[in-house]
Amino acid sequence: MTGTAFTPRVFSGIQPSGGLTLGNYLGALKRFVDMQDADTHECVFCVVDLHAITVWQNPEDLTRQTREIAAAFLAAGIDPAKAILFNQSQAPEHAQLGWLFSCIARMGWMRRMTQWKDKAGKNSEEASLGLFAYPALMAADILVHHATHVPVGDDQKQHLELTRDVAAKFNHDYGVDFFPITEPVIGGPAARVMSLRDGTKKMSKSDPSDMSRINLSDDADAIAQKFRKARTDPEPLPDSYEGLKDRPEARNLVDILAALQDRTPEDVMSEVAGQGWGQFKPHLAEVAVETMGPITAEMNRLLADPAEIDRILADGAERASAIAAPILARTFDIMGMVRRA
Ligand code: TYM
């Protein structure tokens, strides 16, 4: 920990690399709204378009997806009067600090990242340099705002550890106490929402099977069908949550219901113990449709006026730069860059 007192500030980001899934909603977006509404932190939320282009993005798709993710933030309850919402490329301080951090982070740190290994796969020689350096830019996103807390799903844990390492190495190398050692905020039943086809894989927008995930854009019929076909074992639900320990698919569905209803999985189990899937799955689908239906409808309403979304993003970018520019300027000073008088 550093000795400096930092303003309590939340930062988090979502890539506009496709539509959002129920995993993104429960693991991230819903928790962002809770943190905003708790009024305990300044909140800064970002559509990370510079991260999205670490793999190929068709330009028109990128534009559309950026507005869609922004609309999803708003529809889920992010209030631009309370929180800052912007897209990363509009606040140039992110990319600038990203470069500085590429000179702080070590090749070995990057090579250990499981997401790099997963995404680059066997073909790493063909992966972009940006995909490799991705976590340095992510550290910059967080630290250019001196964020103290970062709510994310479990899959981002390693990147947040690297962010702490970057901050600590910078502070150590330059003999300062300048960057905060950020706290990850990971937890609850939705920290890792799993695929509906395979309980050992996370639910992901890039999974080739659409049946593996619930998309924020799915209608009620699609949601009901996907839960109906979700893979499970033949056993009915046990008496307690403990009994789901070795039943990943079953546990995932209980966790999803708990997260949707803001309950603990243990509490859910006290109600559904002994139920068969024919009873549980339609109930889960109903709850999911009730929660997500209004969000999807509001998203579509907002997307009918892209100019208004662009205005909100531009305003957010200005406010984000107002926080980030002095922090970046101070970083340049610490590193010894000669700056314009
Ligand atoms: P991304 O765009 O892949 O996902 C956005 C958020 O959704 C969470 N998430 C999940 N949570 C639970 N279960 C799942 N199946 C699931 N799938 C995704 C992710 O953990 C994430 O919180 N590198 C980040 C974006 C980023 C960022 C940042 C995040 C860039 N800069 C700074 C925080 C702070 C990413 O690719 O998220």
Side-chain angles (χ1 to χ4, degrees):
M1 263 325 245
T2 73
T4 309
F6 293 95
T7 306
R9 187 174 289 139
V10 161
F11 181 94
S12 202
I14 298 185
Q15 293 195 67
S17 51
L20 288 182
T21 69
L22 185 63
N24 297 126
Y25 174 68
L26 295 175
L29 210 39
K30 186 170 186 295
R31 298 171 61 238
F32 300 169
V33 176
D34 292 342
M35 292 192 90
Q36 167 198 267
D37 292 347
D39 266 338
T40 48
H41 293 73
E42 279 182 31
C43 288
V44 186
F45 298 117
C46 187
V47 185
V48 289
D49 47 9
L50 298 176
H51 276 112
I53 58 162
T54 56
V55 298
W56 168 251
Q57 301 293 330
N58 179 293
E60 281 139 40
D61 292 345
L62 183 65
T63 308
R64 182 176 41 77
Q65 286 159 193
T66 300
R67 293 192 181 120
E68 275 173 14
I69 303 292
F73 270 100
L74 298 167
I78 294 302
D79 175 359
K82 280 198 200 164
I84 295 176
L85 175 64
F86 71 111
N87 61 310
Q88 195 182 23
S89 60
Q90 286 205 59
E93 297 81 8
H94 286 244
Q96 288 175 284
L97 189 63
W99 174 256
L100 304 185
F101 283 173
S102 290
C103 303
I104 300 289
R106 307 287 97 183
M107 297 281 283
W109 299 4
M110 299 293 168
R111 232 179 245 127
R112 278 196 290 278
M113 294 292 113
T114 53
Q115 284 216 343
W116 157 252
K117 291 187 217 165
D118 289 350
K119 285 196 179 174
K122 291 199 179 71
N123 214 5
S124 63
E125 291 298 306
E126 290 302 314
S128 73
L129 186 55
L131 188 67
F132 188 65
Y134 180 115
L137 179 60
M138 180 158 160
D141 294 337
I142 295 165
L143 295 173
V144 86
H145 291 280
H146 273 187
T148 54
H149 294 84
V150 182
V152 282
D154 187 63
D155 61 337
Q156 297 300 316
K157 196 170 171 183
Q158 201 186 23
H159 289 159
L160 293 189
E161 278 158 13
L162 186 135
T163 300
R164 292 162 66 95
D165 290 345
V166 168
K169 181 164 165 53
F170 183 97
N171 289 345
H172 173 267
D173 288 357
Y174 291 97
V176 291
D177 190 10
F178 183 61
F179 285 115
I181 308 299
T182 303
E183 289 297 328
V185 187
I186 304 173
R192 193 170 184 82
V193 177
M194 307 310 275
S195 156
L196 300 182
R197 308 302 302 167
D198 177 350
T200 64
K201 275 187 7 200
K202 73 163 183 174
M203 184 181 284
S204 163
K205 47 193 159 195
S206 56
D207 193 302
S209 163
D210 193 55
M211 291 303 283
S212 70
R213 62 180 161 262
I214 306 285
N215 305 301
L216 221 52
S217 55
D218 285 343
D219 62 20
D221 287 347
I223 292 175
Q225 196 205 21
K226 286 178 178 178
F227 278 128
R228 196 167 55 242
K229 297 222 162 143
R231 192 169 148 194
T232 45
D233 50 49
E235 301 299 317
L237 282 154
D239 288 341
S240 70
Y241 189 58
E242 201 28 43
L244 291 172
K245 201 159 44 83
D246 299 318
R247 298 172 62 185
E249 281 91 7
R251 193 180 60 220
N252 186 40
L253 297 185
V254 169
D255 285 344
I256 291 175
L257 181 60
L260 282 167
Q261 294 187 317
D262 274 327
R263 298 163 70 187
T264 63
E266 289 80 6
D267 186 36
V268 166
M269 283 308 293
S270 67
E271 189 183 302
V272 302
Q275 282 188 9
W277 296 109
Q279 192 178 357
F280 181 84
K281 284 176 168 180
H283 174 55
L284 173 60
E286 204 178 299
V287 172
V289 169
E290 264 168 33
T291 314
M292 311 222 336
I295 297 174
T296 309
E298 176 62 3
M299 230 176 110
N300 290 334
R301 192 189 69 75
L302 290 163
L303 285 167
D305 187 359
E308 175 61 8
I309 294 177
D310 293 1
R311 195 197 57 72
I312 291 169
L313 290 175
D315 174 65
E318 218 170 282
R319 289 154 61 204
S321 281
I323 298 174
I327 292 173
L328 179 68
R330 181 79 192 108
T331 313
F332 280 141
D333 286 344
I334 291 169
M335 296 178 93
M337 309 280 174
V338 176
R339 298 197 297 117
R340 246 184 261 163

